[in-house]
Amino acid sequence: MNVGDALLDLVVESVDPERMKTMAALLRDPNMIHLEPAEAARHGLGDRVVNQGPINMGYVQTMLAHAAGGVDRVRATAFRFLANVHAGDRVVAGGRVTAVRDGEVDCEVWLDVTGGARALSGTATLLAPPPAP
């Protein structure tokens, strides 16, 4: 990996509202904007349910794990939430190498809603991938 290299995008063709229900149960998150479109609309968030932040971060974490060669090679992440992701949205997790040093790779990362806003931005540090044989 070299400074300026793009990480391979992870594309989610359609954010699944059923996964939001599962995540709400796992997180014990009673916020109905994740479960009921009418509740999201009542709060001015559009007419579709809103994806939870941990799922959005998970898309980026998965992209990073692929880039680094395993989840154990993702050393640190920091994220900033910028916009909502809704059921049915197509999202793309991407990144770019910003520094390479002492066996580590720093990256800027993001999650974009196709045809919409950047939903998440942040930074990550990965262990440099092992050399190819």
Side-chain angles (χ1 to χ4, degrees), residues 19-36:
R19 291 183 184 216
M20 291 180 218
K21 291 178 183 176
T22 302
M23 183 61 80
L26 291 171
L27 294 174
R28 296 185 181 147
D29 180 357
N31 193 334
M32 295 305 287
I33 66 169
H34 306 303
L35 305 172
E36 293 292 334

Side-chain angles (χ1 to χ4, degrees), residues 84-97:
N84 289 321
V85 173
H86 294 90
D89 281 347
R90 180 182 189 271
V91 294
V92 179
R96 181 176 10 268
V97 175

Side-chain angles (χ1 to χ4, degrees), residues 47-95:
D47 60 355
R48 294 176 289 150
V49 291
V50 178
N51 204 25
Q52 290 97 338
I55 297 175
N56 294 335
M57 289 188 303
Y59 299 143
V60 177
Q61 291 281 14
T62 299
M63 179 272 303
L64 289 168
H66 288 277
V71 295
D72 59 319
R73 301 184 66 77
V74 179
R75 307 305 288 171
T77 56
F79 298 111
R80 187 170 148 227
F81 295 98
L82 305 171
N84 289 321
V85 173
H86 294 90
D89 281 347
R90 180 182 189 271
V91 294
V92 179

